[in-house]
Amino acid sequence: MDVKKETIGFIGLGIMGLPMAKNLIKSNFDLIVYNRTKSKTKELSELGARVASNPKEVAENAKCIITMLTDSPDVEQIILGENGVIKGIQANSIVIDMSTISPKITRNINEELSKHQSSLLDAPVSGGSWGAIEGTLSIMIGGSNEDFNTCLPVFEAMGKNIIHTGSSGMGQTTKLVNQILVAGTMNAVAEAMVFAAKSGADLSTTIEAVGGGAAASWQLNTLGPRLIKGDFDPGFMIKLQQKDLRLIIESAQELNVAIPGTSLVSQLFAGLLSQGLGDEGTQALVKAHEQLSNVKARI
Ligand code: NAP
């Protein structure tokens, strides 16, 4: 398949999917799109994309189909369910799932697609809504070499750090590794700011001093200044982070791996979810530490 000459299907036009689809149009790809809430297709339709009335219709009209949905059951439903992609799929199609979902369910979906002479690339992303808008996402890809090479121009329209990490499911596994690192680092930043606040340190100066050394991280340098200003608008929402931590905990149980640090962070996020803070950004993790130590880490 010469993917540049193909129509690309795009399903799931949320915070991430909409700007990613716009970047495909900017790179001159022809698009057919579907979204459960139809109003979100309007902008793309105005940019020239065709709008399908269900995922089956997308698959009937495109041999390279991208999904960007919330969780494992949503991807299963859109690909394998009633009026799903698989009901309209043409032989030799490639489905690219860019959602963050379970590696095990990813491999099951790939198996089902292989019965229709088609396949799945799992290609979850990191880089947040900013990376989706700028086209600078990191993309971690599992699946065959051949499919990876075929779809590379599609990935290049949406991302910068594009790495083939192994066979089916390995893109999702790599993303879960990413989320262990991201959640643990966010927790360290929140804990450090509460410690600094209770010690009477100037929080802005503290971030400036430690953010240029070995403690530097995206969480500290980008989210730290927002956190101390009390800006909890989401780049990445707590409820999605907690979904990813659940995927990590499920995988770790299957593998018999101990993940004490990640489990602790998940418990703190659970407390914030029970307070109705699921739509806030992950930097709001500081609120859990503030409650434990009875101090506010704000400037
Ligand atoms: P979002 O804004 O909530 O969008 C989710 C999309 O999936 C919407 O288009 C929604 O349709 C659709 N959807 C969900 N369940 C569905 C179902 N059962 N049937 C049909 N459509 C369904 O989420 P997002 O932030 O774009 O995240 C998408 C994925 O990317 C998630 O797996 C997330 O973990 C991952 N991710 C997000 C970020 C980030 O910073 N936001 C960063 C990296 C990775 P409706 O419009 O009808 O609701």
Side-chain angles (χ1 to χ4, degrees), residues 12-17 34-37 40 68-71 74 77-78 98-100 125-126 128-129 175 235-236 240 243-244:
L13 305 170
I15 291 177
M16 299 295 286
Y34 168 78
N35 196 65
R36 179 177 57 185
T37 308
K40 293 190 195 167
M68 192 51 167
L69 305 157
T70 311
D71 201 350
D74 309 311
Q77 187 195 328
I78 288 291
M98 304 191 77
S99 335
T100 302
V125 304
S126 174
S129 51
K175 169 73 186 192
F236 189 52
L240 284 180
K243 180 260 301 181
D244 292 352

Side-chain angles (χ1 to χ4, degrees), residues 4-299:
K4 285 189 185 148
K5 294 185 182 147
E6 295 287 332
T7 294
I8 310 295
F10 205 113
I11 303 174
L13 305 170
I15 291 177
M16 299 295 286
L18 180 61
M20 288 162 72
K22 278 164 80 176
N23 281 333
L24 285 167
I25 291 180
K26 260 191 223 157
S27 294
N28 295 319
F29 282 102
D30 176 43
L31 245 61
I32 178 162
V33 301
Y34 168 78
N35 196 65
R36 179 177 57 185
T37 308
K38 200 176 173 197
S39 56
K40 293 190 195 167
T41 60
K42 188 169 177 280
E43 204 179 333
L44 290 170
S45 161
E46 284 165 5
L47 291 170
R50 277 178 286 163
V51 178
S53 48
N54 55 49
K56 173 173 176 269
E57 191 186 331
V58 173
E60 285 165 348
N61 289 282
K63 289 178 85 175
C64 176
I65 303 146
I66 298 170
T67 51
M68 192 51 167
L69 305 157
T70 311
D71 201 350
S72 313
D74 309 311
V75 177
E76 278 183 309
Q77 187 195 328
I78 288 291
I79 298 181
L80 306 177
E82 200 185 330
N83 276 330
V85 166
I86 207 161
K87 301 292 193 300
I89 203 147
Q90 307 168 58
N92 304 315
S93 293
I94 303 173
V95 180
I96 306 173
D97 179 36
M98 304 191 77
S99 335
T100 302
I101 68 160
S102 144
K104 192 173 164 188
I105 289 175
T106 293
R107 285 188 287 269
N108 290 346
I109 296 173
N110 186 39
E111 282 282 322
E112 289 303 315
L113 287 171
S114 72
K115 294 176 190 163
H116 296 258
Q117 293 75 50
S118 294
S119 50
L120 182 78
L121 283 176
D122 44 305
V125 304
S126 174
S129 51
W130 308 283
I133 293 165
E134 298 298 324
T136 56
L137 291 168
S138 287
I139 312 179
M140 308 148 223
I141 301 147
S144 74
N145 261 327
E146 195 189 342
D147 285 355
F148 171 76
N149 289 326
T150 301
C151 295
L152 196 53
V154 171
F155 294 128
E156 284 170 344
M158 297 181 282
K160 285 276 177 276
N161 189 31
I162 300 157
I163 311 277
H164 185 206
T165 60
S167 58
S168 180
M170 275 303 154
Q172 295 296 354
T173 297
T174 311
K175 169 73 186 192
L176 296 187
V177 170
N178 183 77
Q179 295 308 75
I180 292 173
L181 292 162
V182 162
T185 310
M186 191 67 251
N187 186 54
V189 170
E191 193 170 295
M193 288 303 107
V194 164
F195 175 84
K198 200 129 196 185
S199 310
D202 181 284
L203 297 180
S204 299
T205 310
T206 303
I207 291 178
E208 199 186 338
V210 299
S217 66
W218 189 86
Q219 279 72 23
L220 177 67
N221 297 63
T222 307
L223 294 181
R226 290 182 200 190
L227 175 164
I228 60 173
K229 281 183 200 132
D231 173 1
F232 299 116
D233 281 352
F236 189 52
M237 284 186 272
I238 286 176
K239 65 184 178 194
L240 284 180
Q241 174 71 284
Q242 188 68 333
K243 180 260 301 181
D244 292 352
L245 296 183
R246 192 200 79 232
L247 293 171
I248 294 163
I249 291 164
E250 284 169 6
S251 290
Q253 276 169 353
E254 284 161 21
L255 294 164
N256 222 4
V257 175
I259 45 162
T262 307
S263 303
L264 172 70
V265 184
S266 172
Q267 291 298 312
L268 295 173
F269 275 127
L272 296 180
L273 278 168
S274 74
Q275 295 170 42
L277 302 179
D279 289 340
E280 294 200 348
T282 52
Q283 66 274 26
L285 184 56
V286 75
K287 293 182 180 178
H289 287 280
E290 287 172 340
Q291 285 161 19
L292 287 171
S293 296
N294 195 26
V295 67
K296 284 250 184 275
R298 306 290 156 74
I299 52 174

